[in-house]
Amino acid sequence: MLNVIVTDPPRADLAEVSKLAEYGVATVHEAIGRTGYLGPQLRPNQQGARIAGTALTVVCWPGDNLMIHAAVEQAKAGDIIVITTTSPSSDGAFGELLATSLVSRGVRGLIMGAGLRDTQELRDMGFPAWTAHVSAQGTVKETAGSVNVPVTLGGQVIRPGDAIVADDDGVCVVPRLDVPRAVTASAARIAKEDANRKQLADGVLGLDMYNLRPKLAKVDYISYAEYVRRSGEGL
């Protein structure tokens, strides 16, 4: 692995990225073809936060947060810090003090495959975080890693400057060059869902709205009495 800190990589247009926060992870994920979802193992430390920003990527060694400190210097307003480790680690590599430093530089939140601590303090200060673990056990600051290089988290490749969207449903990455398309597709999906919602509120069944009845062609609709006769047992 190269031990490098890449300075000022290209970032997706922040105004476009910020629009993705209006739509949320589920909508964006569906709109771009059910791709980019980082998986259910990344859980929010809070409820009700919905953010989007540009990825500031970090590679740390397990049990070591040296490169998170190095990454703070490279942070720009609108970034979301995305942290991986060279092998699995659950240690609490991030807490209130690092968050305070990142907030001063305009960072919008944290995505991390390792452990988080100071969870209540982070909620109190309004710094949103999505992590794989919570752990009171801290880390050392000894071993060099990398900043602003491609990383893999939740089976997804995240490159510096890509768009990150995160909310109560999870985290999604949108490649930097695909952000305009994602914004357009998400807006179209929201419009379609609004129309569907109205139909459902008016009493239309999803079976009919989505034309699902043909998929039930081999299912028999039978009375309870007939079910008991066929199965030999009640419900």
Side-chain angles (χ1 to χ4, degrees), residues 224-225 227-229 231-235:
Y224 175 70
Y227 175 82
V228 173
R229 186 187 71 79
S231 66
E233 60 184 33
L235 296 177

Side-chain angles (χ1 to χ4, degrees), residues 1 25 46 69 96 146 149 164 175 196 221:
M1 181 185 77
V25 172
Q46 63 291 308
H69 288 273
E96 174 198 4
S146 297
V149 297
I164 299 292
N196 290 346
Y221 284 76

Side-chain angles (χ1 to χ4, degrees), residues 20-100:
L20 295 175
E22 302 173 17
Y23 305 121
V25 172
T27 294
V28 173
H29 167 63
E30 294 281 353
I32 62 176
R34 296 171 62 85
T35 63
Y37 175 48
L38 272 59
Q41 75 280 1
L42 294 177
R43 305 297 299 274
N45 181 50
Q46 63 291 308
Q47 291 292 303
R50 177 179 284 185
I51 64 171
T54 47
L56 167 63
T57 61
V58 185
V59 180
C60 293
W61 286 82
D64 194 310
N65 72 355
L66 172 65
M67 298 313 292
I68 306 178
H69 288 273
V72 174
E73 185 178 26
Q74 305 304 317
K76 293 185 179 298
D79 280 348
I80 294 175
I81 191 166
V82 179
I83 303 166
T84 64
T85 51
T86 57
S87 62
S89 176
S90 61
D91 291 338
F94 189 96
E96 174 198 4
L97 294 180
L98 273 167
T100 299

Side-chain angles (χ1 to χ4, degrees), residues 1-231:
M1 181 185 77
L2 288 176
N3 298 128
V4 297
I5 296 175
V6 180
T7 61
D8 201 24
R11 288 167 165 83
D13 180 79
L14 188 57
E16 288 287 289
V17 170
S18 296
K19 293 177 184 177
L20 295 175
E22 302 173 17
Y23 305 121
V25 172
T27 294
V28 173
H29 167 63
E30 294 281 353
I32 62 176
R34 296 171 62 85
T35 63
Y37 175 48
L38 272 59
Q41 75 280 1
L42 294 177
R43 305 297 299 274
N45 181 50
Q46 63 291 308
Q47 291 292 303
R50 177 179 284 185
I51 64 171
T54 47
L56 167 63
T57 61
V58 185
V59 180
C60 293
W61 286 82
D64 194 310
N65 72 355
L66 172 65
M67 298 313 292
I68 306 178
H69 288 273
V72 174
E73 185 178 26
Q74 305 304 317
K76 293 185 179 298
D79 280 348
I80 294 175
I81 191 166
V82 179
I83 303 166
T84 64
T85 51
T86 57
S87 62
S89 176
S90 61
D91 291 338
F94 189 96
E96 174 198 4
L97 294 180
L98 273 167
T100 299
S101 190
L102 288 172
V103 167
S104 75
R105 302 183 73 87
V107 172
R108 293 178 173 177
L110 163 79
I111 313 298
M112 183 169 63
L116 184 73
R117 63 181 187 173
D118 301 336
T119 56
Q120 185 60 56
E121 289 83 356
L122 292 173
R123 287 191 290 270
D124 289 344
M125 66 186 291
F127 186 83
W130 289 256
T131 65
H133 305 283
V134 171
S135 175
Q137 178 166 290
T139 58
V140 299
K141 303 170 179 59
E142 296 291 338
T143 309
S146 297
V147 176
N148 279 332
V149 297
V151 301
T152 301
L153 189 57
Q156 302 295 324
V157 176
I158 303 167
R159 294 176 173 81
D162 283 350
I164 299 292
V165 189
D167 61 19
D168 291 348
D169 292 336
V171 184
C172 182
V173 59
V174 179
R176 175 172 61 89
L177 297 179
D178 289 347
V179 169
R181 179 178 67 85
V183 170
T184 300
S186 297
R189 184 171 182 84
I190 286 293
K192 181 179 179 181
E193 288 182 348
D194 286 344
N196 290 346
R197 187 178 297 106
K198 184 179 185 306
Q199 290 189 67
L200 293 170
D202 288 341
V204 176
L205 295 175
L207 285 173
D208 298 316
M209 187 173 69
Y210 298 120
N211 192 30
L212 300 177
R213 292 193 185 278
K215 297 182 179 182
L216 300 176
K218 295 182 179 181
V219 177
D220 290 335
Y221 284 76
I222 61 175
S223 68
Y224 175 70
E226 178 65 11
Y227 175 82
V228 173
R229 186 187 71 79
R230 292 189 190 184
S231 66

